[in-house]
Every structure is written in C-alpha cells, then in structure tokens.
Amino acid sequence: MEAYGGRAPETFSDPVPDMVKQFVVYLYRHIRERNIREIFSMYDVSFAKLSERFFKTTSWPPVHMIADLVDGDHVFCLLYKEMYFRHLYATTQPTLEQRCESWDNYVNLFRVLLQSHVNMQLPNGWLWDMVDEFIYQFQSFAQYRGKLAQKSPHELELLKKCDWVWDLQGVLHYLQGLIDKSGIVRELASDDAQRRFCETEGYEGHSSNVLRTMGYFSLIGLLRVHCLLGEYEPALKALGPIQPFKTGNLLTPKVAGANIALYYYTGFSYLMLQRYLDAARAFNIILNYINRVKAYHQRSAQYDQILKKNEQMYALLAVTTSLCPASQRNIDESVANTLKEKYNEKMQRIQRGMEGVVDELFTYSCPKFVAATPPRLDNLTVNSNQEAYRQQFRGFMSFVDQQRQLPVLKQFLKLYTTISLTKLAGLMDTDEAAVKEQLRVLEGTSQCKTWSGQGDAAAGSMQSAADVEVSVSKDADSGAELISVEEVNAPRSKGNEFILRHITKFQEIVRDLNSPALAGTARSAGVAAY
C-alpha cells in the first residue's frame, strides 16, 4: 500500500477459525476437481453463513493468512481476495487504500484470464458477481471521488497519487478485453448458436467456461457502464448479440442478478431515448420474471436488492405508461394490476399535468450516474456526482415538459370525433397558437422507434405509439380549422389471450367428460393433459 503513499492496513491479529480454514481448503480442492455443484454451494451458501457467524462487521482474514492452506496458489489467492473485498464493501466503508488494493486485485485477476490459459470451471453466478462487483466498485469509487468537500488533505493527496485507479478507460479496457479474448460475439452470431450457449450454460465438455461466460457477462457490464455515463445508444449497441426480446436465447434468466441488470439498464436506456414501447416491453419481461423467482431468493444476500430493483422498475414503468399510454399494450394484466396498486394515484396526477411527480419517480428509480472525467482536485466545491445526475435529469425533463399538457389535450379530444380549433382552445382556456403547438407535439409523439425483431438492441423502425390520432383540415364553408379525432384501440392483451386459451381448453375437457362414449377414459386422460 506504500505505493499509493498511504499507511499500510492494520494487521489481522485474530486467529483464523478452524471452520474458515476448512472452507478455504475444501473450496480450493473443489475448484481443482472442477466440482461445480460443490463450488457453488460453498460460494453461495457456506461463504454467506461463515460471514454472518464470524465476520458480520469485520473483514475476512487477509490472503497471506490462508495462502499456506492452498500451497500459495496464485489464481486461488486472487479469487479469495475478490471475495474478501466484496465482503468488505458490503459490511464496511472501504478506505481509499482498500479501494486501490481491490482495483489491483481485479487487474491481476483479469490479466491472468487474458494472458494465460485458464483451465478451471466456475459457477456462472460467481462469474457474474465478479463482473457486477467490478462495475459496482468503479461506480462506488466515482461517487467517493466526486465528494471532494468531505475529503481530508491526506485523502486529497492520495487521490492525486492514484488518479489511474478505477479509471473509466481502464474499466472499459478490461471489459472489452474479456469480450474480445472470449470470442463471444463471433460465437453467438446466429440464433442457433445463442440457443446452444443457453442450453449448455456456457459449459462445453471439459473445457473452461470462465473466459467465455465472463465475456458474455461483460457485454451486460458495458451496457451498465455506458448507461451510468448517460450514453444510451452506445449502451444498447454494447449488448452486441444479446437481444433482450429473444428471451429463449438468453443465458441471463439462469442468473437472477444478470437478468435484472440486463433489463433494468436496457429498459432505462429505452426510456431515455423515448422508445416507450420497447421500455415497457423490457420492464414487463423482468417484472414478470422477478415475480416468479423472488420466493427462491428470500434467504439470499441479494434479496433486498432484488426487491429494490423491482420497486424502481415499477416506478419507471409508471413513468413510461404515463408518457405513452399506448405502451400499456406491451404489459401483461398481472403487471398492469400491480402497477395500478402501487402507482395509480401518481399516474393520475401525471395525467392531470401536475408537476413534481415525474421528477420524484425519476430521482427514486434512476441509476447513480457517474461523470466521464474525474473532478478537478483544486475545486473542492464541485460535486461531480450531483452534476452528472442533474445533466441526465435536465435532459429527461426537457422532453417531459414538452408533453406535460398532452394528457389534458387528449382528454378533450377523446370527447369528440370532430372539433374546431377555436372551440378546443376555449375548452383548454388558452389561445389557438398554443393548441397548435400542442398538436404538433402530439404528432411528434405518435410514433417511436421500436425493435422489430432484427438487429441489435439499438436497432428498430418507426411504429405507431399513439392512443389517439388527429388530423387538421379547413371547413370548406366557414374556413374554420377543424380537428378530426380517432381513438386507437389497443390490441387484445396477452393476459386476455391466456385466459381465453384456458377457457377454450377447459370447455373441451368438459365436453369430453360429458361424452357418454368416453366417460370412463376421458376423465383421467383429459385432466392429466390439462
């Protein structure tokens, strides 16, 4: 740690508990034996239990205290330190020295993966956690560095000496390096290849899954980093062959954290690009997914984070459907009902054009943005975190403000099939020029770019996003400007189709049961099939 000009961390003086020694020895053995089931059990269950019992408010033993137990194995020690720092971040407030040490460990670990032949196999959940924690610690460092007014002179001096630590270009370099070295983009060039990768979960016989799967998860990592920077088009393009709406081709549903990250940042990017139909579709997929799997994660350390992301995405969906009512056609009835229970009152306030509601929902549910460049250390009054947030907030609210009066306009338009411009202006208590401007805004929001089944996540074509269509013409006799109005009926929801399918199936079973010739056999066969 003296390389950073700081104090060496305090020496861990307590003896290593025997149960912790056994954990280290058995984890090392199972990794060498490629026993994926046992590795995952020890990583996902035993590590959490030991942390709760022995290290609830302290760090795990430093790596030098367990190195002899694993014959000083270099790669295992890097993996142990990755877990060590992840636990430290979760239970304490890391010092600048510890943040720098964690960065060094990730650099050394990724260099091993990129520059040597790795023969081990690891659970996909652990591989995702590595990528996820790497980006989280980058984000955490950017947040820490951005609050200069709270830093001591000693911390400011250290920041000057380690300005390359958790550097944005370094983070992007290693994520892109994992993608390129793994060859994952080339491997997943076709739908069949994607389905095969999903079916095998990245494991191919006795070969290592580590680089291939980390390359896959690094695509989602790039999505997240670009989204944190407010670069939404590059964020979607970064996904490459991962197409969120081809759910059958995805590995992510088998790793809950990866799946939630994929759809949260994809949906948020679509929302910020005013691609409301795609945003609603993305949020609908993941909210249904969370509803199905959250019961299995109640004892997981990630359970609280899953619930938080669930609430944030319902808030984002409330904003999406309020700004574009036609996007409701892309959500299932179960999601729509839950959305109404949680945010009906706020959505009604948005529909009435009331200020402050969208601001509140955006602030609650948006990511913690980071600045693309480090703050100047000679200007302690600037908080780069707040500036990054304000920049994204202003950009979002600029198009929200343009649409603020559209719900009121639509309420009046839906009362008529034809109405004069003069009468509409009188009803809205404004002048004709203002109404014309609102009609232009309405026309501009009547279509939005939507993914059409081809290309990457950023691709798409213009599709109708209107719930009401208008056209303006002049009356031949009076010369008055007339507005023709036509409501756009949303297609039947998937929920209704699901119910109708099962009603039809049930009717067929009842018919078979009531058939005299098949009364004895249809009862068991029909019910079993159902």
Side-chain angles (χ1 to χ4, degrees):
M1 195 55 242
E2 285 150 13
Y4 300 107
R7 302 180 302 274
E10 293 183 7
T11 303
F12 188 91
S13 57
D14 295 335
V16 179
D18 289 339
M19 291 182 67
V20 174
K21 290 181 180 179
Q22 292 175 6
F23 169 83
V24 171
V25 169
Y26 282 115
L27 180 61
Y28 176 57
R29 177 189 298 176
H30 292 316
I31 289 176
R32 288 178 61 86
E33 295 174 351
R34 294 178 157 204
N35 191 333
I36 291 295
R37 184 183 296 274
E38 288 300 326
I39 296 171
F40 182 74
S41 176
M42 297 194 71
Y43 169 78
D44 193 55
V45 180
S46 302
F47 183 74
K49 288 183 177 180
L50 291 172
S51 297
E52 179 70 19
R53 179 171 178 178
F54 296 108
F55 312 111
K56 193 169 185 178
T57 58
T58 61
S59 67
W60 272 63
V63 67
H64 71 266
M65 297 191 70
I66 60 92
D68 288 344
L69 300 173
V70 297
D71 302 322
D73 187 286
H74 178 59
V75 175
F76 181 87
C77 287
L78 292 174
L79 293 173
Y80 176 86
K81 288 176 71 176
E82 194 275 334
M83 297 167 63
Y84 168 92
F85 282 114
R86 179 146 25 101
H87 171 75
L88 186 145
Y89 268 78
T91 57
T92 66
Q93 184 65 33
T95 65
L96 177 55
E97 290 92 339
Q98 290 166 334
R99 294 175 188 272
C100 293
E101 287 182 342
S102 185
W103 165 258
D104 284 346
N105 188 68
Y106 273 116
V107 169
N108 291 330
L109 178 59
F110 290 159
R111 283 177 177 171
V112 167
L113 298 180
L114 294 172
Q115 298 175 7
S116 61
H117 178 70
V118 177
N119 196 35
M120 62 183 172
Q121 291 185 342
L122 292 176
N124 289 336
W126 191 350
L127 298 176
W128 163 251
D129 286 345
M130 287 186 203
V131 174
D132 182 56
E133 184 70 13
F134 178 64
I135 299 170
Y136 167 73
Q137 291 187 23
F138 156 71
Q139 183 182 19
S140 175
F141 184 82
Q143 296 283 323
Y144 164 84
R145 183 180 54 190
K147 301 173 183 177
L148 295 178
Q150 303 174 10
K151 300 290 181 289
S152 67
H154 173 70
E155 287 179 300
L156 291 173
E157 189 62 30
L158 281 180
L159 280 172
K160 292 179 183 178
K161 294 182 178 180
C162 56
D163 57 353
W164 48 270
V165 172
W166 292 111
D167 172 65
L168 171 62
Q169 294 307 315
V171 170
L172 294 174
H173 167 76
Y174 285 110
L175 290 174
Q176 190 63 54
L178 290 169
I179 294 167
D180 294 341
K181 178 74 172 180
S182 69
I184 195 67
V185 173
R186 182 175 62 255
E187 179 180 350
L188 302 183
S190 68
D191 284 351
D192 288 343
Q194 292 175 26
R195 283 191 290 270
R196 185 166 58 251
F197 183 81
C198 175
E199 290 168 359
T200 63
E201 300 185 22
Y203 299 97
E204 290 286 349
H206 295 289
S207 62
S208 173
N209 70 314
V210 173
L211 191 58
R212 295 173 72 227
T213 308
M214 287 196 75
Y216 183 90
F217 288 143
S218 292
L219 293 168
I220 303 172
L222 282 182
L223 161 74
R224 178 178 174 182
V225 172
H226 284 296
C227 193
L228 294 177
L229 296 169
E231 300 171 346
Y232 303 111
E233 192 79 21
L236 295 172
K237 284 186 174 297
L239 285 174
I242 297 180
Q243 297 163 321
F245 300 135
K246 291 187 176 181
T247 55
N249 293 0
L250 297 176
L251 173 64
T252 54
K254 300 177 182 180
V255 182
N259 208 38
I260 292 170
L262 170 63
Y263 286 100
Y264 171 77
Y265 290 104
T266 297
F268 188 82
S269 296
Y270 281 137
L271 174 60
M272 295 298 283
L273 293 170
Q274 302 177 55
R275 295 179 59 166
Y276 301 119
L277 301 182
D278 285 336
R281 188 177 175 187
F283 292 137
N284 179 71
I285 290 173
I286 194 58
L287 290 170
N288 272 318
Y289 171 84
I290 292 175
N291 187 55
R292 293 195 304 271
V293 305
K294 63 183 179 182
Y296 299 102
H297 294 273
Q298 288 183 354
R299 297 183 180 180
S300 168
Q302 300 176 347
Y303 184 64
D304 289 342
Q305 186 64 22
I306 290 173
L307 295 183
K308 180 181 178 180
K309 277 288 176 275
N310 186 68
E311 293 302 312
Q312 287 179 317
M313 286 187 284
Y314 267 112
L316 291 172
L317 185 57
V319 173
T320 302
T321 55
S322 297
L323 295 177
C324 178
S327 65
Q328 295 179 46
R329 71 182 67 155
N330 286 346
I331 63 177
D332 295 333
E333 285 191 25
S334 59
V335 173
N337 290 336
T338 304
L339 178 65
K340 187 174 181 180
E341 292 172 7
K342 292 178 179 291
Y343 289 106
N344 186 53
E345 185 267 336
K346 283 184 169 60
M347 292 168 67
Q348 288 182 353
R349 287 167 60 191
I350 296 174
Q351 291 295 313
R352 293 195 294 268
M354 297 178 67
E355 298 184 6
V357 186
V358 175
D359 316 38
E360 173 191 339
L361 294 176
F362 179 87
T363 302
Y364 166 69
S365 55
C366 70
K368 290 184 178 180
F369 300 107
V370 299
T373 56
R376 290 176 50 189
L377 299 181
D378 58 352
N379 187 355
L380 304 184
T381 60
V382 175
N383 186 324
S384 61
N385 304 323
Q386 287 298 319
E387 184 53 39
Y389 161 76
R390 283 193 290 265
Q391 183 178 354
Q392 299 306 314
F393 178 76
R394 286 193 297 266
F396 177 71
M397 293 307 297
S398 65
F399 60 79
V400 170
D401 289 338
Q402 291 177 358
Q403 302 178 42
R404 196 176 295 280
Q405 294 304 314
L406 290 188
V408 178
L409 173 65
K410 291 178 183 179
Q411 287 174 5
F412 285 113
L413 289 174
K414 289 179 180 180
L415 298 174
Y416 300 89
T417 55
T418 304
I419 184 174
S420 69
L421 181 63
T422 303
K423 183 175 181 180
L424 181 58
L427 291 172
M428 296 184 65
D429 195 22
T430 187
D431 56 59
E432 294 184 13
V435 174
K436 284 184 176 180
E437 177 61 28
Q438 286 299 307
L439 289 172
R440 279 193 290 271
V441 173
L442 179 62
E443 183 180 5
T445 60
S446 64
Q447 289 192 327
C448 69
K449 188 176 181 181
T450 307
W451 193 73
S452 54
Q454 300 294 326
D456 59 31
S461 58
M462 299 304 292
Q463 295 186 21
S464 174
D467 58 328
V468 59
E469 294 181 348
V470 299
S471 59
V472 181
S473 60
K474 282 195 174 183
D475 183 75
D477 297 327
S478 64
E481 291 184 281
L482 298 178
I483 304 169
S484 299
V485 185
E486 181 178 353
E487 277 197 67
V488 178
N489 294 322
R492 179 183 294 162
S493 71
K494 296 177 182 177
N496 287 339
E497 292 178 355
F498 175 84
I499 293 171
L500 288 175
R501 282 199 305 271
H502 281 268
I503 289 175
T504 302
K505 200 165 190 177
F506 181 72
Q507 289 173 338
E508 292 174 353
I509 293 170
V510 171
R511 185 187 62 240
D512 289 341
L513 291 173
N514 291 332
S515 172
L518 301 176
T521 60
R523 182 172 287 104
S524 58
V527 173
Y530 183 74

